[in-house]
Amino acid sequence: QCLLSGSWRSDTGCRMVVSILGKDGRFSGSYLPGPAASDPKILTSPLEGSQQDARLVPQPTFSFTVQWRLQVRTTAFLGQCYVGTNGEEVLHALWLMREAAKNPVEDWKATR
């Protein structure tokens, strides 16, 4: 069974800590991007999300958003938690980051 609660590290050095999941699948936590180790101005940012009921789906999907501190941007993550043959939990996710555009003309380049 795959649960998001705990501490996670990405291949690029990003760190995510997820609190205990609520009965409704909701969770909160914190996110620190990989470059933060070399830049003290980058702060841990809060995250909020939800996971499918792991009692119904052993490898549940999840989503969460990160509201970046001191930056005018939000990142949304969408993925699935897998349990490998060795019992290790692995997250696979896609993300979109949205920065605030100065005006509608610049809207096209505000999402990565």
Side-chain angles (χ1 to χ4, degrees):
Q1 186 177 26
C2 202
L3 296 173
L4 288 177
S5 296
S7 182
W8 298 88
R9 182 177 297 275
S10 76
D11 295 340
T12 60
C14 298
R15 289 179 293 172
M16 175 175 78
V17 176
V18 175
S19 64
I20 296 172
L21 286 137
K23 291 184 182 193
D24 61 356
R26 293 179 192 258
F27 61 86
S28 60
S30 60
Y31 193 90
L32 185 65
S38 61
D39 187 348
K41 293 182 282 187
I42 298 177
L43 301 174
T44 299
S45 296
L47 66 84
E48 297 284 333
S50 63
Q51 175 183 309
Q52 278 182 304
D53 189 337
R55 295 172 297 182
L56 302 175
V57 181
Q59 300 185 120
T61 60
F62 62 86
S63 64
F64 64 91
T65 58
V66 175
Q67 296 293 327
W68 298 101
R69 294 193 191 270
L70 304 179
Q71 298 177 26
V72 186
R73 63 176 65 154
T74 300
T75 303
F77 293 81
L78 181 65
Q80 187 166 357
C81 186
Y82 293 100
V83 179
T85 55
N86 63 354
E88 184 176 308
E89 297 170 324
V90 177
L91 303 181
H92 285 237
L94 297 173
W95 58 269
L96 286 173
M97 182 169 57
R98 176 67 187 211
E99 296 180 293
K102 293 179 183 175
N103 57 58
V105 174
E106 295 183 3
D107 186 66
W108 67 273
K109 64 180 180 179
T111 301
R112 296 185 217 178

